[in-house]
Amino acid sequence: MGHDHPHRPPLDACCGACAPAHDEPHDHHDHAHDHAGGGAGTPRLAAALLLAIVAELVGHVVPDTLPWRGLGLAVAGAAIWLAGFDVYKAGLAALRRGRLNIAALMTVAVTGAFAIGQWPEAAMVMALYAIAEAIEARAVGRARRAIQGLLAMAPEVASLRRPDGSWASVPVSEVGVGATLRVKPGERVPLDGRVSAGSSSIDQAPVTGESIPVDKGVGDAVFAGTINAWGTLEIEVTAPASDSTLARIIHAVEQAQATRAPTQGFVERFAAVYTPAVFAVALAVALLGPWLAGWTWLAAIYKALVLLVIACPCALVISTPVSIVSGLAAAARRGILIKGGIHLEAARRLKAVALDKTGTLTEGRPTLVAWSVLDAGADAARIEHVAAALASHSDHPVSRAIAAGLAPNRVEARDFRAIAGRGVEAAVEGARYVLGNHRLIEERGQCSAALEARLKAHEEAGRTVTLLAGDDGVLALFAVADTLKPHAREAVESLRALGIEPVLLSGDNQATAAAVAREAGIAEARGNLLPQDKLDAVEALRRAHGPTAMTGDGINDAPALARADIGIAMGAAGTDIAMEAADIVVMNDDLRRIAETVRLSRATHAVLWQNIVLALGIKGVFLLLAIAGGATMWMAVFADMGASLLVVANGLRLLGKAGRD
């Protein structure tokens, strides 16, 4: 599995990224100034545009006399200074170090145009360039704000219970683990915690992407930034503000934004060669044009300068990071935490997904799914009460599931006794009863061929069977199973529709694994797998199908999550180890998010290449026009910044994926 490495921030430095990838660390700061709009506010840009218009009027309308020409030069110089001060500063710094970036291109082009007497165009080019860069920076900021806006969802203060029992509002940064907070209806939960008193519904959409509020009671976990619907809750804090689930999501996405996706790396390597090549071509046009094409020296230099402006790779370089960050933001809004652009791009190639059973495909807790009375003459209601009375005395998960699934017991069990590895025994209204497994009934000599057939049918369906028996024989059968999650079958069908083969991997027995797979619509199931076996199964799937994802939630899934091409962890019930090993975390455990991630990956890849083709295509057309003499410097700046704004707008379309899927 590939690993990203920290790199320069992809958006803040987008047009400076055309420098070679091996620049020294001290170059990174200068990238922030490669945008013309970096330090120019709206009033300053408006003044620069107004002065550029005045310079154009002076250059083309008033008489060509020395005083007017001097005034025009002064006005043009003021416009260039107002709009291009940051560009010149960054451009000169880059040229001193031998780096050829967008700022260096604009510095050479505008200075050259001014020097050969084209000062009206030089002023207008710099003003338009700076305005377009400012618009672009604002548009790119939308993708960043889509994640940073999550920070505002966590309150800055919390209602804390003091030792004397009174309540006080304190900054969340001062609240420690173990403190008790009060959250009233309509308020946001300030910190991660567990409900210690009260009940309510919580809107968890900011963290998990779930659209329906989740009921919460004593003992249930709540997340910072989520919204309390109707009841007052008291919450015991389980994590400080700096380590809340919301804070970890934001930190992980920001780290992901700071890593380069494969396409972005390709574009930056291409730009590192492309930009010096453009300088070389422009220099050749300026020096060889008079000799080969019969141009005047001024005409040749002007064409070379136009060529520089048209060919600057800003649109090309910004095309990838804005798309990647928009895709990461769209995923985060849906409760999908993707830990890097490399994983966002890789998801589109998946051919198989290995799914863990317990807690991933299933709920991860036993539930009473069926029960039946075996003695035709028995009172069903009384048998139900007897079974509930015995089950309620046991802490075994299967007994608890039976007790939860039956009507409340109206009879009292006395002389209760646990039978190790078998079940429980008690007296109810003077009669002795046992509630236990198949082995206990066999040992009591109460099995029959008909009962064995019933047991086999339930066991083949992946159910655990418990039997209620009295002195006269077996009275009832109770089937407990780990039930399939509500949308598991739909999720499997969505994966198959995308051409991805789902496979079930489980540490449970083969019969149970096969039964769950059939219910979910999965053709292949492998049971009795230890962690090493799961890892080997993932390797086998990679050889048989190609790129493979592993989806799980437990410690035993961590090795396979790390070995798979993409590891996907279920975040709501998942262990910290599984979430650390995974490349993608589904915060609400909804398996349908896997198919959504693949669709988003494919959409992101399509937008990436649309942007690359768009940027290069526009450049190519105007380069030919420039060489043929049909392009002016005005057209050059519109070609460059128009292409930049188009690719930014196209990349931002991915943000809409958060609301449509």
Side-chain angles (χ1 to χ4, degrees):
M1 183 171 60
H3 296 279
D4 289 340
H5 299 283
H7 194 70
R8 62 180 64 114
L11 290 185
D12 296 340
C14 53
C15 288
C18 47
H22 56 268
D23 286 342
E24 294 301 316
H26 61 258
D27 290 349
H28 293 189
H29 174 75
D30 296 316
H31 292 316
H33 301 288
D34 286 352
H35 288 291
T42 301
R44 185 172 167 183
L45 292 176
L49 181 61
L50 181 62
L51 289 174
I53 292 171
V54 171
E56 285 285 351
L57 292 173
V58 171
H60 295 93
V61 177
V62 302
D64 186 18
T65 61
L66 187 60
W68 281 113
R69 191 179 302 126
L71 175 64
L73 279 167
V75 170
I80 292 170
W81 181 82
L82 283 172
F85 179 78
D86 290 330
V87 176
Y88 265 94
K89 187 165 66 172
L92 292 173
L95 289 171
R96 279 197 301 272
R97 291 196 297 271
R99 286 181 51 233
L100 301 177
N101 61 11
I102 175 63
L105 283 171
M106 291 304 299
T107 298
V108 171
V110 172
T111 303
F114 198 91
I116 64 173
Q118 298 294 331
W119 39 266
E121 286 200 43
M124 186 59 73
V125 163
M126 185 59 82
L128 291 175
Y129 171 77
I131 290 169
E133 282 279 79
I135 294 171
E136 176 189 304
R138 181 173 298 179
V140 169
R142 277 189 58 200
R144 284 230 182 269
R145 289 193 297 273
I147 294 300
Q148 292 173 340
L150 290 175
L151 283 168
M153 293 181 179
E156 295 181 358
V157 295
S159 181
L160 174 71
R161 185 166 67 192
R162 290 176 166 169
D164 62 3
S166 63
W167 298 92
S169 290
V170 298
V172 293
S173 59
E174 297 178 8
V175 178
V177 174
T180 298
L181 306 179
R182 181 176 62 189
V183 184
K184 295 179 179 179
E187 292 181 346
R188 290 186 182 272
V189 177
L191 294 165
D192 283 7
R194 292 195 178 279
V195 178
S196 57
S199 62
S200 184
S201 293
I202 298 286
D203 178 0
Q204 298 190 148
V207 173
T208 67
E210 292 169 287
S211 58
I212 300 173
V214 179
D215 291 336
K216 298 287 184 179
V218 174
D220 291 333
V222 292
F223 304 117
T226 56
I227 304 166
N228 182 18
W230 51 265
T232 298
L233 296 174
E234 291 184 16
I235 295 167
E236 181 184 348
V237 176
T238 56
S242 59
D243 195 38
S244 70
T245 302
L246 186 63
R248 291 202 304 270
I249 290 173
I250 294 164
H251 177 67
V253 175
E254 286 178 341
Q255 279 189 321
Q257 290 176 352
T259 60
R260 290 187 306 168
T263 305
Q264 185 178 346
F266 160 75
V267 167
E268 290 183 0
R269 290 192 300 274
F270 176 79
V273 176
Y274 168 87
T275 310
V278 166
F279 261 100
V281 171
L283 187 62
V285 168
L287 295 178
L288 301 179
W291 302 98
L292 300 179
W295 300 332
T296 65
W297 283 103
L298 282 180
I301 292 171
Y302 181 78
K303 288 178 185 293
L305 296 175
V306 171
L307 193 66
L308 282 182
V309 176
I310 290 174
C312 75
C314 191
L316 177 65
V317 175
I318 201 174
S319 64
T320 49
V322 71
S323 302
I324 292 294
V325 171
S326 294
L328 293 171
R333 287 177 173 180
R334 297 288 284 157
I336 306 166
L337 177 57
I338 303 175
K339 297 182 181 178
I342 187 171
H343 309 306
L344 177 60
E345 281 206 59
R348 69 184 176 84
R349 300 189 182 94
L350 289 177
K351 297 299 181 185
V353 172
L355 299 163
D356 175 51
K357 181 182 75 70
T358 306
T360 301
L361 271 173
T362 65
E363 295 285 3
R365 58 181 181 272
T367 304
L368 180 64
V369 294
W371 73 278
S372 58
V373 176
L374 302 182
D375 184 350
D379 181 351
R382 185 176 184 282
I383 285 178
E384 182 177 7
H385 292 313
V386 170
L390 268 69
S392 63
H393 278 72
S394 173
D395 288 330
H396 192 281
V398 172
S399 293
R400 293 175 65 182
I402 292 171
L406 297 176
N409 58 298
R410 296 177 182 173
V411 295
E412 186 177 353
R414 296 178 180 274
D415 191 20
F416 181 85
R417 181 173 71 92
I419 307 170
R422 305 290 190 273
V424 296
E425 181 180 10
V428 178
E429 296 177 346
R432 302 295 298 182
Y433 296 93
V434 295
L435 183 70
N437 57 24
H438 185 191
R439 181 179 297 177
L440 175 62
I441 301 303
E442 280 187 328
E443 290 173 354
R444 287 169 60 91
Q446 293 177 314
C447 262
S448 66
L451 179 59
E452 293 283 357
R454 280 177 176 261
L455 292 175
K456 184 178 180 182
H458 282 291
E459 287 167 359
E460 286 178 350
R463 298 168 176 175
T464 298
V465 178
T466 299
L467 300 159
L468 177 69
D471 292 337
D472 297 330
V474 180
L475 302 174
L477 174 152
F478 301 89
V480 169
D482 184 6
T483 56
L484 208 63
K485 287 183 177 179
H487 303 295
R489 190 173 185 90
E490 181 186 345
V492 168
E493 290 171 354
S494 296
L495 288 171
R496 196 165 278 124
L498 292 169
I500 299 170
E501 184 63 30
V503 177
L504 186 147
L505 304 181
S506 177
D508 212 334
N509 64 75
Q510 181 62 36
T512 300
V516 171
R518 281 195 302 273
E519 190 180 356
I522 298 174
E524 183 180 353
R526 304 183 189 183
N528 299 309
L529 300 180
L530 297 173
Q532 180 62 44
D533 299 325
K534 287 186 177 182
L535 192 150
D536 294 339
V538 167
E539 287 284 11
L541 288 172
R542 293 175 72 185
R543 290 192 297 270
H545 298 280
T548 298
M550 172 67 196
T551 305
D553 69 332
I555 293 174
N556 63 328
D557 299 319
L561 287 168
R563 178 64 62 87
D565 294 282
I566 295 181
I568 304 172
M570 296 289 110
T575 63
D576 289 342
I577 293 175
M579 287 189 280
E580 285 296 322
D583 307 306
I584 297 172
V585 180
V586 178
M587 295 305 298
N588 66 351
D589 285 5
D590 189 339
L591 279 172
R592 294 175 297 177
R593 297 291 193 257
I594 301 174
E596 285 183 21
T597 302
V598 174
R599 286 194 292 269
L600 180 62
S601 173
R602 293 178 181 180
T604 302
H605 181 75
V607 167
L608 282 172
W609 284 100
Q610 287 167 12
N611 282 349
I612 291 170
V613 171
L614 189 65
L616 291 177
I618 292 173
K619 298 291 184 191
V621 170
F622 280 90
L623 281 172
L624 292 175
L625 284 173
I627 293 172
T632 65
M633 197 164 285
W634 273 62
M635 293 172 65
V637 77
F638 277 118
D640 174 60
M641 297 318 301
S644 295
L645 295 178
L646 279 174
V647 299
V648 167
N650 194 35
L652 290 177
R653 286 192 305 115
L654 290 168
L655 287 175
K657 289 285 179 182
R660 289 198 302 269
D661 288 341

